[in-house]
Amino acid sequence: MEIIARVVTVQKNSYRVTDGSMEYQAHVSGRFLNEAVSSLDFPAVGDWVEVQKLTDEKKAVIKRVLPRKSQFVRQAAGEVTVAQIVAANMDTVLIVNSLNHDLNLRRLERYILSTYDSGATPVVVLTKKDACSQAEVQSAIAQVDEISIGVPVVAVSSVTGEGLEELMEYLPAGHTVALLGSSGVGKSTLVNTLLGEEVQETKGIREADSKGRHTTTHREMFMLPNGSLIIDTPGMRELQLWEGESAMDTTFQDVEQYASECRFTDCKHETEPGCRVKEALKNGKLTEERFQSYLKLQRELAYEKRKQDQKAQLEEKNRWKQISKNQKQKYKQRM
């Protein structure tokens, strides 16, 4: 019997799916494996999939992945050019940073860019509010507001409960949200707090740098009491971009606005006369750090695009080599 289910957990080649009433351990079918072209074809947490239930064994076979409305993709860690789907079919991405020692504006820009590119809506969540003074919290929010134009920013404490009511406005019933951020920023603690029970293991922070210890090892989706779904993910030591060109103008709308007002359409923002970007940098309306981050991400995206194109060309070349080899073998067999 084939039904539609949703992927709840992914651990290497093993999946757990739910049909709404029962959960099943699942694996992809042999045909699925043969037809998959890239890592993006495989199921991710949040995916809707067509499965064949093996009811007696409480297992299921995944036949295909249904089209996604959103997907957060990054370049997988390591030297190989491979895309990795972190979460799928989410409405909102909660980009989590802690307020004590972990606030990194340049990293936030990366997450916001990738979230816009995913098709989901970004919300910045600043955790561990209880460990900071009111002045420190306000200063942090002001800094984040400057680089996250139009993105909601919510400061919360899983200890005191401050900010959680405001946060729940972005987790309405029926919505799927994904928690993303580096290790130890309090994602799993936040999940436990929102669920009202200890479902995710957590550990304390180091006194020296206020860094939490990495605990989550796989992606998993939970249902909150109000009927919303939340995906917890392992912390990322770094977020290498996969795509994002189309989201640059949204993420860096301030820089793009100044660039559009330059006298020359091909202005490189270096020594050209009438450069509005250089003018904004000079009068302090645009920070040098923000502008350099914009340039760095542009270069990184261009580099990733070249790597992906080269890989695609090589794969296509190898595919035709194999086709040619198979045809020669068939010809010899007929002789």
Side-chain angles (χ1 to χ4, degrees), residues 21-190:
S21 59
M22 185 179 291
E23 291 191 355
Y24 302 85
Q25 285 298 125
H27 63 272
V28 296
S29 67
R31 182 175 180 179
F32 188 109
L33 284 171
N34 291 331
E35 294 180 350
V37 176
S38 76
S39 57
L40 296 177
D41 296 328
F42 284 85
V45 173
D47 266 329
W48 293 97
V49 291
E50 183 181 282
V51 302
Q52 179 183 358
K53 291 199 299 183
L54 308 174
T55 310
D56 293 340
E57 302 176 48
K58 289 191 177 180
K59 293 183 179 180
V61 179
I62 298 173
K63 299 291 187 176
R64 68 185 181 100
V65 176
L66 274 60
R68 300 171 177 128
K69 72 174 183 179
S70 62
Q71 57 180 26
F72 192 101
V73 182
R74 71 163 182 166
Q75 159 69 30
E79 299 299 321
V80 182
T81 304
V82 178
Q84 180 184 61
I85 299 182
V86 179
N89 295 314
M90 61 280 170
D91 301 284
T92 304
V93 169
L94 302 182
I95 304 168
V96 186
N97 259 246
S98 66
L99 283 159
N100 52 352
H101 295 180
D102 186 67
L103 189 62
N104 186 315
L105 300 180
R106 306 287 76 88
R107 185 167 61 219
L108 267 177
E109 288 168 339
R110 285 175 171 270
Y111 276 99
I112 292 170
L113 176 66
S114 292
T115 299
Y116 277 129
D117 190 63
S118 77
T121 302
V123 173
V124 175
V125 181
L126 302 177
T127 59
K128 306 179 184 178
K129 184 179 180 181
D130 55 284
C132 304
S133 68
Q134 187 61 34
E136 289 172 327
V137 173
Q138 290 175 346
S139 173
I141 291 175
Q143 291 178 61
V144 173
D145 277 337
E146 286 185 3
I147 60 95
S148 59
I149 302 166
V151 177
V153 182
V154 184
V156 303
S157 168
S158 294
V159 175
T160 66
E162 289 181 89
L164 294 181
E165 186 175 344
E166 182 184 354
L167 179 62
M168 286 304 297
E169 295 176 11
Y170 302 100
L171 286 78
H175 270 53
T176 301
V177 302
L179 286 177
L180 298 177
S182 34
S183 299
V185 296
K187 297 189 301 299
S188 295
T189 301
L190 184 58

Side-chain angles (χ1 to χ4, degrees), residues 40 73-76 80-84 117 240-245 300-316:
L40 296 177
V73 182
R74 71 163 182 166
Q75 159 69 30
V80 182
T81 304
V82 178
Q84 180 184 61
D117 190 63
Q240 290 183 283
L241 303 178
W242 181 255
E243 291 181 337
E245 297 96 330
E300 187 174 329
L301 286 168
Y303 174 67
E304 287 299 330
K305 182 67 174 175
R306 288 195 299 271
K307 283 205 304 181
Q308 291 169 30
D309 288 345
Q310 290 170 358
K311 182 186 178 186
Q313 290 172 7
L314 180 60
E315 288 174 346
E316 184 69 4

Side-chain angles (χ1 to χ4, degrees), residues 142-324:
Q143 291 178 61
V144 173
D145 277 337
E146 286 185 3
I147 60 95
S148 59
I149 302 166
V151 177
V153 182
V154 184
V156 303
S157 168
S158 294
V159 175
T160 66
E162 289 181 89
L164 294 181
E165 186 175 344
E166 182 184 354
L167 179 62
M168 286 304 297
E169 295 176 11
Y170 302 100
L171 286 78
H175 270 53
T176 301
V177 302
L179 286 177
L180 298 177
S182 34
S183 299
V185 296
K187 297 189 301 299
S188 295
T189 301
L190 184 58
V191 169
N192 290 339
T193 302
L194 293 173
L195 281 167
E197 60 178 310
E198 297 287 320
V199 296
Q200 294 289 73
E201 182 186 357
T202 60
K203 294 181 181 178
I205 61 173
R206 296 192 298 261
E207 293 297 330
D209 56 6
S210 296
K211 292 282 189 181
R213 296 176 176 86
H214 178 74
T215 51
T216 303
T217 57
H218 62 277
R219 302 169 186 87
E220 185 166 1
M221 183 165 64
F222 302 93
M223 178 174 283
L224 298 184
N226 74 332
S228 62
L229 296 158
I230 190 164
I231 299 172
D232 192 15
T233 64
M236 299 183 197
R237 288 182 175 82
E238 60 177 340
L239 174 60
Q240 290 183 283
L241 303 178
W242 181 255
E243 291 181 337
E245 297 96 330
S246 61
M248 283 292 289
D249 57 347
T250 307
T251 308
F252 289 91
Q253 29 187 307
D254 51 345
V255 182
E256 293 277 350
Q257 180 61 41
Y258 290 127
S260 70
E261 296 170 359
C262 290
R263 182 183 302 174
F264 303 106
T265 55
D266 61 347
C267 183
K268 297 186 184 302
H269 319 305
E270 294 173 350
T271 58
E272 297 88 344
C275 175
R276 285 281 287 121
V277 171
K278 299 299 287 185
E279 182 183 325
L281 289 167
K282 187 176 180 180
N283 62 29
K285 291 183 178 179
L286 179 66
T287 66
E288 186 66 35
E289 292 82 6
R290 173 80 165 162
F291 181 56
Q292 289 303 321
S293 177
Y294 169 78
L295 296 177
K296 180 181 179 181
L297 291 176
Q298 279 190 324
R299 290 193 297 268
E300 187 174 329
L301 286 168
Y303 174 67
E304 287 299 330
K305 182 67 174 175
R306 288 195 299 271
K307 283 205 304 181
Q308 291 169 30
D309 288 345
Q310 290 170 358
K311 182 186 178 186
Q313 290 172 7
L314 180 60
E315 288 174 346
E316 184 69 4
K317 182 178 179 181
N318 290 337
R319 188 172 76 87
W320 282 106
K321 276 186 177 179
Q322 187 61 45
I323 290 173
S324 177

